[in-house]
Amino acid sequence: MKSGWVDRDAEAIVAEGAKSGIDRDLALRIYTTRLLGRDPKLVLHGGGNTSLKEVMRDRLGADVEVLRVKATGADMAMIDLAGLPAVRLAPLRKLRALGEIGDDELVGIERSSLIDPAAANPSVEIMLHAFLPQKFVDHTHATAVLSVIDQPDGEKKCAEVFGGRLAFVPYVMPGFGLAKKAIEVFERAKPSDGLILSKHGIVTYGESAREAYERMIEMVSRAEEFVARRRKSVAAPARRGAAEVAQIAPIVRGACSEKDKAIEGAWRRLVLEFRATDAVLNFVNAKDMARVSQAGVVTPDHTLRTKNWPLVLPPPDPAKLAEFARVAHDTAGQFATRYHRYFEQHNARVGHIKRELDPLPRVVLVPGLGLFGLGRTKRDAEIAADIAEAWIEGVSDAEAIGRFESITEADMFDCEYWPLEQAKLGTRKEPPLMGQIAAVTGAGGAIGAATAKAFAAAGAEVALLDVNFAAAREQAKAIGPSALPVICDVTSAASVRAAFDAVAAAFGGVDIVVSNAGAAWQGRIGDVDEDVMRKSFELNFYGHQRVAQAAVKIMLAQGTGGCLLFNVSKQAVNPGPNFGPYGIPKAAELALMRQYALDYGSDGIRANAVNADRIRSGLLTADMIASRSKARGLSEKDYMSGNLLGREVTVDDVAQAFLHQALALKTTADVTTVDGGNIAAAMR
Ligand SMILES: [Zn+2]
């Protein structure tokens, strides 16, 4: 590991900070915090923290000694001034005299000592920073260091690797107790460079930002070299194809879902993120994987994102997927049972004061295939997968130099159920579609894009399918980094299959499909070309059938129900003159929806349709609106709002109707009309 320090960058951030009154030390504290944060071998997703002690002027003009420490859960790679709240040091130091202190009381004292009362909560490791006397303190969970210290003889290995420059602090749960233990060890040993926190991480310090940072790099490099010399080289493993991942992911996802006990028909679902690097494959394929994978986390705060153990499934045989699904469900059931037992046992130990989290795995290992990270959102799944990859590296290297040993199960429980750790996840109210995956066809167009946006706003992960990939990509970009653009020509069975494979591989499956892609053809039915009729049926009927078939296949593999939504037109029930080539396949689409509702209701798959009319979109362009309103002698506004309510209907109204149908768990075979009122087109 090389130092990332560059004089020119450091001076640039100092000069930039000076403009807004940030002093040199603080600017360099921000700089090296970012340097540490950008290397996943040092810190991952809110783990790790840094601090600076300095004198600052408080709001009343008095000079006070403060500790600036990373805010809890803040990402070091993107730290800024707000991510380093300033806390008065004197009251924190006095706490050392206390035997112990409750979490709430400690947070209360921290908050009342903040210079800015509105600042973010400081890191849970604040007291460690406060007690150490050095000006700059850096703390990471560097993977290579964890490999060295997560050992039965971790202390001995530390002495060998770090040569007495870091003192060894035995494992104590993060927080006040650890801070007290650490300062005790520090005062006795007076190590030159920092501390090792057993089974947890490393602390370095210094009188300048650069000194503390470069000590961290030097010590981590020592650990890396020690490990690298002993690491066994392995051949690159065989890799399975993307189509196979797409077949297996929905089975895994279904096995790792649970029925919502409160609402019939509702499920608690997770989103998946697949990884299959050489390191991952070598780990999941290894002979001793069953033992090693259950040995626990490499550092305590990972339990929050990965739970204590992954779910391990058998290697899937693509020819026997039904058998794989059966075993996957059994194994996931055993995982949940083990989790309940673990919770009961340790909750009893602490006096039954905790509320159980969901028992679903956050990491799934599949021999021959790779690993899945799981989370309530795609982002959470990615974080779980990132941490699982670091865990695999840490454990594999620990085994290469000795034997991996984690903290005890009781210690893991204390971290997993520590309110201050859980606070890192934030207190979020879950939106109604969280955990669900929605695929929308024709998502590059106006109605499809508005629908994808509405589903994303309701918490779903969205895939935007369109024959025009650039249009889908643009709309996905507007929604956010997790939205997935996928090329899909619904007139081609192969294209539809490939698109749904891509969705299943990216998210783990699909729960809601909005079959929306379509286009209009005209002609008087008596003399219209058969070619025109066939073309329209290809897109406006078979297109929906192909999409629904592909979706149902995935939904059945998941076994958690699902929802098919069709965009039918007013034409399906109230044909317009010379619109037969469009209206007739749309009428067939309406029948298609009812058939799916009938045939798959017993699988929990609902099918509904939205019947919209006169929406500004690719099917009703500005030019068409101009010419049609002119032909009727109406203003454009009167033409567009020519309905019972006298209100123009927009793409967002259509999107909200689809959303309503996705949420109405007891509604299937329904047609929801979104046309401002048109008696001739009313369903009877
Ligand atoms: Zn830590």
Side-chain angles (χ1 to χ4, degrees):
M1 179 168 290
K2 292 232 164 14
S3 167
W5 181 282
V6 177
D7 282 335
R8 205 180 45 218
D9 295 352
E11 290 312 320
I13 200 165
V14 168
E16 185 59 37
K19 287 184 207 157
S20 45
I22 294 176
D23 64 64
R24 186 178 179 83
D25 280 343
L26 183 51
L28 293 176
R29 175 69 291 174
I30 292 173
Y31 175 56
T32 58
T33 301
R34 287 180 186 166
L35 289 182
L36 293 167
R38 76 182 185 192
D39 191 338
K41 303 267 187 214
L42 290 172
V43 294
L44 272 174
H45 301 300
N49 38 67
T50 59
S51 68
L52 161 68
K53 296 177 187 78
E54 63 174 356
V55 173
M56 75 181 281
R57 192 146 294 179
D58 73 5
R59 296 183 154 200
L60 300 172
D63 285 341
V64 286
E65 204 186 349
V66 297
L67 173 73
R68 279 196 177 271
V69 64
K70 196 200 79 162
T72 190
D75 185 342
M76 284 169 61
M78 290 179 293
I79 203 90
D80 56 13
L81 194 58
L84 287 164
V87 193
R88 287 166 201 275
L89 247 179
L92 299 183
R93 283 191 173 136
K94 279 188 196 149
L95 294 178
R96 214 187 141 182
L98 300 179
E100 54 184 290
I101 181 168
D103 291 336
D104 290 347
E105 201 184 341
L106 184 61
V107 170
I109 291 168
E110 287 165 21
R111 285 218 64 85
S112 64
S113 306
L114 284 166
I115 297 293
D116 173 3
N121 268 342
S123 161
V124 297
E125 281 161 329
I126 178 176
M127 298 312 298
L128 177 73
H129 291 267
F131 289 165
L132 287 169
Q134 286 80 7
K135 192 171 175 67
F136 290 85
V137 177
D138 295 11
H139 167 51
T140 73
H141 304 153
T143 312
V145 171
L146 295 172
S147 297
V148 171
I149 63 179
D150 288 353
Q151 301 277 344
D153 62 345
E155 184 166 10
K156 201 172 130 243
K157 285 207 163 58
C158 264
E160 189 183 344
V161 175
F162 306 114
R165 287 170 61 184
L166 304 175
F168 185 86
V169 183
Y171 182 81
V172 178
M173 181 184 155
F176 186 68
L178 172 58
K180 284 192 61 162
K181 189 79 196 163
I183 190 65
E184 212 181 285
V185 171
F186 168 80
E187 287 176 346
R188 201 172 51 231
K190 289 272 162 35
S192 56
D193 291 51
L195 303 168
I196 284 295
L197 309 179
S198 178
K199 311 254 172 97
H200 170 167
I202 171 173
V203 176
T204 57
Y205 39 60
E207 287 312 307
S208 72
R210 184 170 186 170
E211 185 177 47
Y213 167 72
E214 290 193 334
R215 282 176 172 168
M216 177 67 72
I217 300 301
E218 189 193 342
M219 291 300 130
V220 174
S221 301
R222 282 180 172 226
E224 284 185 332
E225 284 154 22
F226 182 84
V227 167
R229 280 199 301 275
R230 289 156 181 85
R231 193 182 286 142
K232 296 178 264 295
S233 67
V234 261
R239 206 170 292 277
R240 305 261 194 102
E244 215 171 305
V245 176
Q247 277 187 310
I248 288 158
I251 297 173
V252 173
R253 183 165 181 256
C256 298
S257 308
E258 67 170 352
K259 271 201 169 111
D260 186 326
K261 289 174 202 84
I263 307 162
E264 195 179 0
W267 289 82
R268 186 174 174 85
R269 299 171 168 102
L270 300 173
V271 180
L272 271 52
E273 163 76 7
F274 179 68
R275 301 281 168 89
T277 62
D278 285 358
V280 166
L281 283 166
N282 283 323
F283 185 82
V284 299
N285 295 343
K287 277 199 286 294
D288 56 352
M289 192 266 276
R291 169 185 68 85
V292 176
S293 68
Q294 302 305 301
V297 294
V298 290
T299 185
D301 78 347
H302 283 186
T303 180
L304 221 59
R305 294 293 193 170
T306 62
K307 295 206 189 278
N308 302 339
W309 333 274
L311 168 67
V312 179
L313 294 179
D317 177 349
K320 293 180 188 155
L321 286 180
E323 169 67 10
F324 175 72
R326 196 184 57 71
V327 179
H329 277 266
D330 286 354
T331 318
Q334 287 156 14
F335 182 96
T337 307
R338 179 182 177 192
Y339 188 84
H340 289 311
R341 249 202 331 260
Y342 150 81
F343 176 79
E344 286 305 325
Q345 184 191 336
H346 294 287
N347 192 33
R349 173 173 58 84
V350 299
H352 297 283
I353 52 169
K354 305 290 181 187
R355 221 181 67 216
E356 189 174 358
L357 300 167
D358 77 54
L360 306 174
R362 292 300 189 272
V363 178
V364 178
L365 305 182
V366 188
L369 193 75
L371 79 76
F372 291 98
L374 291 79
R376 286 287 276 163
T377 65
K378 177 67 178 171
R379 183 71 192 133
D380 287 345
E382 287 166 350
I383 291 174
D386 286 348
I387 290 178
E389 282 199 57
W391 169 76
I392 282 179
E393 186 181 329
V395 171
S396 303
D397 285 347
E399 288 281 313
I401 63 170
R403 189 167 64 80
F404 171 68
E405 188 184 84
S406 181
I407 52 177
T408 66
E409 201 178 85
D411 287 329
M412 288 190 259
F413 178 88
D414 290 344
C415 286
E416 186 178 6
Y417 284 89
W418 187 25
L420 299 189
E421 275 292 356
Q422 288 179 343
K424 281 187 189 168
L425 301 176
T427 44
R428 68 181 172 206
K429 189 179 174 317
E430 298 202 333
L433 291 182
M434 185 172 265
Q436 298 208 45
I437 298 153
V440 181
T441 71
I447 291 176
T451 304
K453 204 171 122 203
F455 278 70
E461 303 299 336
V462 292
L464 293 91
L465 280 54
D466 205 290
V467 67
N468 178 348
F469 182 73
R473 191 176 48 198
E474 200 185 311
Q475 298 298 346
K477 224 169 117 190
I479 291 173
S482 297
L484 178 77
V486 182
I487 187 151
C488 180
D489 175 1
V490 299
T491 65
S492 151
S495 175
V496 170
R497 263 199 310 274
F500 276 84
D501 276 357
V503 175
F507 294 114
V510 72
D511 306 297
I512 302 162
V513 167
V514 183
S515 191
N516 164 68
W521 281 271
Q522 297 188 46
R524 206 171 177 200
I525 198 64
D527 57 27
V528 68
D529 242 28
E530 194 174 313
D531 269 3
V532 171
M533 288 300 286
R534 284 189 188 282
K535 242 196 194 124
S536 184
F537 261 93
E538 265 314 316
L539 178 58
N540 292 316
F541 173 74
Y542 286 109
H544 297 286
Q545 162 66 348
R546 289 182 194 103
V547 164
Q549 267 189 340
V552 160
K553 197 174 154 219
I554 297 175
M555 289 169 184
L556 292 177
Q558 293 171 157
T560 53
C563 180
L564 302 171
L565 302 174
F566 297 88
N567 187 356
V568 307
S569 162
K570 180 209 83 154
Q571 302 296 328
V573 283
N574 173 218
N578 301 329
F579 249 127
Y582 180 58
I584 294 165
K586 293 304 267 187
E589 184 199 350
L590 180 57
L592 182 77
M593 175 277 278
R594 290 176 169 160
Q595 198 66 45
Y596 271 99
L598 177 63
D599 287 356
Y600 291 96
S602 58
D603 296 296
I605 298 173
R606 300 177 295 116
N608 294 301
V610 167
N611 187 359
D613 189 30
R614 213 167 283 186
I615 317 285
R616 290 180 200 268
S617 70
L619 261 64
L620 182 60
T621 61
D623 284 353
M624 289 156 79
I625 293 169
S627 73
R628 286 185 198 175
S629 52
K630 201 167 153 210
R632 287 170 171 79
L634 294 170
S635 70
E636 284 188 25
K637 187 177 176 304
D638 286 344
Y639 172 70
M640 290 307 291
S641 54
N643 52 47
L644 297 176
L645 294 169
R647 297 174 188 158
E648 178 176 343
V649 183
T650 69
V651 290
D652 293 324
D653 297 319
V654 181
Q656 289 306 313
F658 279 128
L659 185 56
H660 148 76
Q661 289 181 330
L663 292 169
L665 292 176
K666 313 291 164 71
T667 297
T668 191
D670 167 61
V671 181
T672 293
T673 298
V674 189
D675 59 4
N678 175 355
I679 282 300
M683 300 298 295
R684 43 179 119 189

